[in-house]
Amino acid sequence: MITLALAKGRIFEETLPLLAAAGIVPAEDPETSRKLILGTNRAGLRLILVRAADVPTYVQYGAADLGVAGRDLLAEHGGQGLYQPLDLGIAKCRMVVAVPEDFDYAAAVKRGARLRVATKYIGTAREHFAAKGMHVDLIKLYGSMELAPLVGLADAIVDLVDTGGTLKANRLKAVEDIMPVSSRLVVNPASLKLKREALAPLIEALRKASHG
Ligand code: AMP
């Protein structure tokens, strides 16, 4: 049995066409089913639905043989114990530093101001600001980062931006790019050895589907 870990929402929706191109169709729709384990049209392949941030953990420990995880969450996880053979090119966005529209970020950086930065991505943010030689106080949040500067919790945020609509709606602006983000296929290295006959063709089919 091969187990593929996916998160509901955008990653699931954008992975479906790649799976379909590889001849794989889930037996149920995760948006309507409450099941966390879904069969597929292939007897030897099942899907498990986990929180996006938990995908690397399930694959690292071998509870899933492979999974789809955003580069943002892989960077935060560290990627230990994960083979990353493929950038699937889905769920694309950017990780950025954003501040209120009327905040002069460049001037604050120049005068060495100590900024308070709210984010879900503590590890990545710490590395980013350390590389710039900036002192920041990081505040861990689990969502709705855009709210933090509006109510005085933070001066800046580190968050994902796609269209920029959310930043604009909250009178924020992106002032620094941290990394481009897309979702990657992650594979448990032991699974790849032990189940190579089943996994190698699947990885190859996903490679073809994602690279056109
Ligand atoms: P947008 O308004 O299109 O710039 O989208 C920004 C909001 O969507 C932010 O709250 C982000 O955290 C979230 N978001 C955008 N792209 C992604 C992605 N690929 N994965 C997860 N969250 C995302």
Side-chain angles (χ1 to χ4, degrees):
M1 174 65 71
I2 298 292
T3 302
L4 169 65
L6 291 173
K8 274 193 196 180
R10 189 169 167 190
I11 287 186
F12 191 90
E13 283 157 24
E14 296 190 23
T15 302
L16 270 188
L18 301 181
L19 290 175
I24 297 158
V25 181
E28 280 167 277
D29 176 358
E31 297 304 333
T32 51
S33 162
R34 283 168 179 256
K35 286 188 189 165
L36 298 174
I37 302 180
L38 303 181
T40 69
N41 59 332
R42 287 209 196 163
L45 178 71
R46 64 180 183 174
L47 310 180
I48 61 171
L49 297 172
V50 305
R51 281 290 294 262
D54 293 333
V55 168
T57 307
Y58 276 84
V59 177
Q60 174 187 7
Y61 287 96
D65 299 296
L66 67 180
V68 177
R71 186 181 171 198
D72 53 330
L73 297 170
L74 282 168
E76 206 56 25
H77 170 270
Q80 310 93 325
L82 296 174
Y83 173 55
Q84 300 182 29
L86 203 53
D87 184 343
L88 296 170
I90 59 169
K92 282 189 176 172
C93 57
R94 297 178 296 139
M95 191 186 290
V96 303
V97 180
V99 297
E101 275 169 3
D102 57 4
F103 183 84
D104 191 342
Y105 179 73
V109 173
K110 208 168 166 195
R111 71 169 183 273
R114 190 173 183 119
L115 298 182
R116 283 207 298 182
V117 181
T119 186
K120 183 158 85 171
Y121 305 104
I122 294 285
T124 313
R126 182 181 293 119
E127 256 181 50
H128 172 75
F129 292 111
K132 284 176 59 85
M134 280 174 68
H135 291 287
V136 295
D137 293 313
L138 295 170
I139 299 175
K140 168 84 183 180
L141 290 179
Y142 293 88
S144 299
M145 268 81 83
E146 295 89 353
L147 179 64
L150 308 183
V151 294
L153 179 62
D155 304 299
I157 59 171
V158 167
D159 195 9
L160 302 181
V161 179
D162 182 13
T163 62
T166 307
L167 288 185
K168 203 163 175 215
N170 293 292
R171 296 178 156 276
L172 301 171
K173 61 182 178 187
V175 287
E176 230 161 49
D177 265 320
I178 297 183
M179 62 166 89
V181 170
S182 55
S183 289
R184 292 160 180 218
L185 189 68
V186 292
V187 184
N188 177 280
S191 294
L192 191 56
K193 277 199 196 123
L194 297 170
K195 304 181 183 177
R196 187 163 205 113
E197 267 179 43
L199 283 178
L202 176 57
I203 295 169
E204 210 31 55
L206 290 173
R207 186 190 309 278
K208 280 205 185 110
S210 60
H211 290 66

